[in-house]
Amino acid sequence: MTRITAAVCATHGAPLQIEQLDLRAPLAGEIEVTLEAVAICHSDIHYADGAWGGDLPAVYGHEAAGRVSALGDTVTGLAVGDRVVVTLIRSCGTCPNCSGGKPTLCDTPRANASPLSRQDGTSVVQAMNCGAFASHVVVDQSQVVPLPDDIPPEAVALLACGVITGIGAVVNAARLRPGQDVVVIGAGGVGLNAIQGARIAGARRIVAVDVTQEKLDIARDFGATDGVLATGPAPWKAVQQILGRGADAVIVTVGAIPAYNDAPRYLGWGGKVVMVGMPHSGAMAEFEPVVLAYMAQGMVGSKMGDVVIRRDIPWMADLYRQGRLKLDELVSGRWRLDQINDAIADTKAGGAKRNVILF
Ligand SMILES: [Zn+2]
Ligand SMILES: [Zn+2]
């Protein structure tokens, strides 16, 4: 048992409260990680606000970096002191989806109860398999990837979610080929990484679509070749003019329903919409089936960029070390855990980039 400090959500929509919790020791196949950094993702905020339901009290936070501080039985390939990125992607390795190379879609339900409890013994939900708004976590060994010591913890943390989701949407979900044209709707944390992914994948044109000029300007720094304001009438016509054709891939990185309604309009023949942004539960969007059928277009959801973390994260870490992937530039602010409500408020205020808690 380890006594830890965590930011707990006791009531949806209320500020998180800093508490001392108990974290049980890692069971077989699990590890304890002492965190160095955790980034704040919009998913954490949606959960904390109650947009997707979920039991309380809970600890959110799922983009983390730290060092292994204890090992459960049967853990292999990791040692105390190793620097790791901690993700929410827990995979059994043996179910049909894991065996088929899709560990983000693991079928096997989690067996172990939450490792978190209050000092009176009541259980606390470990949200998203992580509960990383905390000084320490206990997670399944499948959720981590060891990384070199020379990458700063903020950069490692970003590789846990926003970066892999954005790049993976382009490389794994859209399977973009060099020379194809991409539209990225939303130039926020995930959108900027979809733009980087399209650049790395060799896209011809990369058009960012967003509601603010400021975000379109930032998008250019990350590789967008063009920017179109979504606030104008029929922005897909402006994109069509830039490309001279419809897009091969449209990556929707925001959860706004109008963005989903418009996304297929940007597509050319055989193009594909990749749905990454997550609207509130129950929200519905519309599309025109005859157009998709006639133009042989597709729409596909992508969870966590369809990544295989032990394949994709070391690749992205190398891209960063070679100067080919921007991570430091994605960090907009550094905060302490006891400032987390201010950091969340800053993220809600519309910053394009990531706020990171450092321990
Ligand atoms: Zn996230
Ligand atoms: Zn599985």
Side-chain angles (χ1 to χ4, degrees):
M1 192 84 81
T2 307
R3 182 64 48 86
I4 67 164
T5 306
V8 178
C9 178
T11 309
H12 285 139
L16 304 181
Q17 50 200 48
I18 303 297
E19 295 187 29
Q20 305 293 307
L21 298 180
D22 289 329
L23 180 70
R24 67 154 166 75
L27 303 173
E30 293 181 336
I31 59 169
E32 181 191 272
V33 181
T34 300
L35 295 190
E36 297 171 308
V38 61
I40 295 169
C41 175
H42 285 277
S43 298
D44 298 311
I45 297 175
H46 285 312
Y47 271 116
D49 285 345
W52 297 329
D55 293 332
L56 295 176
V59 177
Y60 305 114
H62 62 277
E63 301 194 22
R67 287 185 189 277
V68 176
S69 45
L71 300 168
D73 291 340
T74 73
V75 172
T76 53
L78 291 166
V80 169
D82 281 354
R83 155 65 75 61
V84 290
V85 54
V86 180
T87 77
L88 60 78
I89 304 167
R90 189 194 54 75
S91 55
C92 73
T94 54
C95 74
N97 283 339
C98 285
S99 304
K102 297 245 175 211
T104 55
L105 308 180
C106 178
D107 277 329
T108 307
R110 171 184 164 148
N112 298 336
S114 171
L116 291 167
S117 56
R118 283 186 162 143
Q119 289 169 48
D120 63 8
T122 54
S123 181
V124 174
V125 175
Q126 181 192 38
M128 292 168 276
N129 297 327
C130 288
F133 289 160
S135 56
H136 304 67
V137 296
V138 165
V139 296
D140 190 83
Q141 62 178 330
S142 66
Q143 293 176 238
V144 309
V145 180
L147 286 178
D149 281 332
D150 62 358
I151 307 179
E154 301 94 307
V156 174
L158 296 186
L159 288 169
C161 176
V163 174
I164 57 180
T165 299
I167 296 177
V170 173
V171 173
N172 296 330
R175 296 204 165 275
L176 195 81
R177 290 177 46 80
Q180 290 190 315
D181 290 312
V182 185
V183 172
V184 176
I185 301 181
V190 173
L192 292 177
N193 288 299
I195 288 166
Q196 298 205 80
R199 176 173 51 73
I200 291 162
R204 183 181 75 118
R205 293 278 194 119
I206 306 165
V207 186
V209 177
D210 202 287
V211 294
T212 74
Q213 185 61 45
E214 185 199 351
K215 285 191 181 173
L216 294 181
D217 293 341
I218 295 170
R220 286 189 184 264
D221 297 337
F222 283 79
T225 60
D226 302 271
V228 168
L229 277 170
T231 48
W236 52 90
K237 288 185 181 160
V239 172
Q240 184 96 26
Q241 210 145 39
I242 289 167
L243 298 180
R245 61 197 290 271
D248 296 296
V250 176
I251 317 293
V252 184
T253 68
V254 294
I257 291 301
Y260 273 106
N261 287 338
D262 289 348
R265 302 175 195 267
Y266 294 90
L267 290 177
W269 295 91
K272 192 192 280 184
V273 171
V274 177
M275 300 182 277
V276 182
M278 309 227 315
H280 287 204
S281 300
M284 306 295 283
E286 290 182 337
F287 64 96
E288 196 176 351
V290 65
V291 178
L292 272 79
Y294 181 68
M295 296 187 71
Q297 295 165 341
M299 298 179 77
V300 65
S302 175
K303 182 184 182 189
M304 302 300 294
D306 302 356
V307 290
V308 176
I309 61 172
R310 295 243 175 177
R311 176 193 68 190
D312 294 338
I313 291 180
W315 167 56
M316 294 174 199
D318 270 348
L319 288 174
Y320 167 76
R321 296 163 91 202
Q322 295 160 5
R324 296 160 69 196
L325 176 68
K326 291 179 192 288
L327 295 180
D328 303 324
E329 296 84 349
L330 286 166
V331 177
S332 56
R334 292 171 175 77
W335 309 73
R336 297 188 314 268
L337 186 63
D338 60 17
Q339 299 172 312
I340 190 163
N341 291 306
D342 295 331
I344 287 172
D346 187 76
T347 301
K348 277 185 176 174
K353 302 178 185 177
R354 278 289 198 264
N355 278 306
V356 181
I357 308 288
L358 292 174
F359 295 92

